[in-house]
Amino acid sequence: MCVLAIETTCDETATAIIDRDLRVLASAVASQERVHDRFRGVVPELAARAHLENIVPMVEKVLSESGIEPVDDLSAIAVATEPGLPGSLIVGVAAAKALCVAWKKPLVAINHVQAHIYACQLGRKESIFPCVGFVVSGGHTNLYHCHSPHHWKYLGGTIDDAVGEAFDKVAVMLGQTYPGGPQISRLASTGNARAFDLPRPLVSDRSTLNMSFSGLKTAVRYHLFGTGKQDFSAHVLKPQLAEDMAASFQQAAVDCLVNKAKLALDITGLKRLCIGGGVAVNTLLRQQMQQELAQDSCDLLIAPPELCTDNAVMGAIAWEKIARGEYSPLTVDIQPGLLRGA
Ligand code: KG4
Ligand code: ZN
């Protein structure tokens, strides 16, 4: 038996068919990068409209690729109901409900942030729980004590921008396209990470697992364009300057993430860190986490790159709920905000 998982929390319309042994029979992602690129960030209404166009083709794609017969082969339909952009969430949830009615299947509501961490479970026999879960994405930068797939405690997170948002906005200052993370990484590979002395907010404060990235973003802006209100999109930066700033920013952001991840392991006494979310694709982050955790004899699990950015395969967490009979009524609402008690 299989699950059809649907993911439309932000700007990717994704579907997947996953069997009970967490084998992926089909996966499809329609990216909206081209829709949002000229705005250098996600425009919520355009995202919702693009989901509306893409959702049926994406469902049809995984049905035909997997060759399953929905009425016979599906145990349930899973959909991310939280957190995310309201208009985007509504499209996926409405589609999932309609398919539940048409095929007489139960609905499983899943939490997108938990699904990002659960991406580390795919392809592994042993349970990843208990662990510290770290979601580093365009919308979230949160640490959790994950006791089990059903019991998560919020430990701390960004008090302003998500780290991916900072990558995206710094990339705009450096004249790059959206999404900015991969562009910053590329520029940084030929830059000097010590060229600019950028702040690492809250890093020296061991009393909190909270993080902050907006000051780092502003510091980049002041270094590049001064403190005035001029329009930085009019500036053309010298290539070496852009590369050095990309490397300096990337190093500062990674230092903040590694520092708080290690503190979370210290505080909880846990020996395993699981990282998911788009920023976890970042090579420097992966290398630095690996080095630092090896020193502390902790296990590091990072989702494979294709499962870090938004996808529906991580909706495999639905099987954990199905095992306990945790279905949702077809009246279930979306929950756009992050529930810190999650
Ligand atoms: O998980 P995701 O696809 O969407 C959200 O749930 O937010 O994450 C997207 C974020 C974007 O901010 C993007 O710039 C960032 O992940 N990202 C990266 C890299 N690849 C994607 N950030 C840093 N380095 C990368 N290589
Ligand atoms: Zn995400």
Side-chain angles (χ1 to χ4, degrees):
M1 294 300 281
C2 302
V3 155
L4 165 65
I6 296 178
E7 151 62 41
T8 63
T9 59
C10 187
D11 62 339
E12 252 95 34
T13 317
T15 51
I17 307 277
I18 309 123
D19 77 9
R20 195 184 287 280
D21 298 321
L22 307 192
R23 279 188 302 243
V24 182
L25 275 56
S27 167
V29 181
S31 164
Q32 301 180 7
E33 278 172 20
R34 275 202 266 150
V35 175
H36 303 290
D37 180 25
R38 68 194 169 104
F39 303 102
R40 309 283 174 94
V42 177
V43 181
E45 184 181 336
L46 296 184
R49 287 169 184 260
H51 285 308
L52 209 48
E53 276 179 35
N54 292 331
I55 187 69
V56 172
M58 288 299 106
V59 170
E60 284 174 336
K61 191 159 187 250
V62 290
L63 288 181
S64 83
E65 269 178 32
S66 64
I68 66 152
E69 195 48 60
V71 174
D72 297 336
D73 299 333
L74 283 182
S75 295
I77 295 168
V79 64
T81 55
E82 62 174 311
L85 298 171
S88 292
L89 287 166
I90 282 172
V91 176
V93 174
K97 288 180 180 184
L99 293 173
C100 285
V101 172
W103 296 332
K104 298 189 172 50
K105 300 293 171 186
L107 183 73
V108 181
I110 55 180
N111 178 309
H112 175 73
V113 166
Q114 294 178 351
H116 264 306
I117 294 169
Y118 197 78
C120 296
Q121 181 68 66
L122 291 148
R124 276 171 226 280
K125 284 210 173 71
E126 303 78 32
S127 170
I128 63 168
F129 301 95
C131 66
V132 168
F134 200 5
V135 181
V136 289
S137 72
H140 304 284
T141 310
N142 314 319
L143 283 157
Y144 296 89
H145 184 144
C146 309
H147 295 268
S148 76
H150 315 284
H151 182 193
W152 301 57
K153 184 169 172 263
Y154 179 81
L155 297 172
T158 181
I159 55 172
D160 40 54
D161 295 332
V163 63
E165 156 81 11
F167 269 89
D168 292 337
K169 292 300 180 293
V170 168
V172 172
M173 293 182 217
L174 301 180
Q176 303 299 309
T177 52
Y178 172 83
Q183 311 290 348
I184 296 272
S185 243
R186 184 181 49 78
L187 287 174
S189 64
T190 44
N192 173 7
R194 296 214 182 99
F196 295 96
D197 184 19
L198 297 174
R200 274 106 170 121
L202 295 175
V203 154
S204 52
D205 186 350
R206 287 186 58 87
S207 71
T208 180
L209 287 169
N210 282 339
M211 292 158 263
S212 165
F213 295 96
S214 73
L216 172 57
K217 201 173 71 177
T218 307
V220 171
R221 185 182 169 147
Y222 286 175
H223 271 286
L224 292 175
F225 311 113
T227 52
K229 279 194 177 165
Q230 72 260 56
D231 175 12
F232 56 75
S233 61
H235 291 254
V236 178
L237 300 175
K238 290 206 175 80
Q240 191 60 52
L241 176 68
E243 289 159 25
D244 288 348
M245 182 51 89
S248 301
F249 162 78
Q250 177 178 252
Q251 187 63 64
V254 167
D255 285 348
C256 296
L257 298 173
V258 172
N259 174 281
K260 292 300 176 186
K262 285 184 69 171
L263 183 58
L265 290 164
D266 276 0
I267 289 173
T268 57
L270 292 166
K271 286 287 182 195
R272 188 180 302 122
L273 176 68
C274 292
I275 313 180
V279 180
V281 175
N282 187 275
T283 308
L284 181 72
L285 177 69
R286 295 173 94 94
Q287 286 169 347
Q288 207 164 306
M289 285 282 186
Q290 195 79 57
Q291 278 164 13
E292 295 280 336
L293 266 68
Q295 284 170 17
D296 295 349
S297 310
C298 288
D299 288 342
L300 173 66
L301 306 183
I302 307 183
E306 68 280 9
L307 297 185
C308 285
T309 46
D310 284 346
N311 65 86
V313 172
M314 61 196 192
I317 195 172
W319 280 112
E320 302 282 355
K321 295 196 164 200
I322 294 169
R324 289 163 46 124
E326 276 179 27
Y327 298 106
S328 297
L330 291 185
T331 49
V332 72
D333 198 1
I334 58 161
Q335 173 68 55
L338 179 73
L339 290 180
R340 294 190 195 278

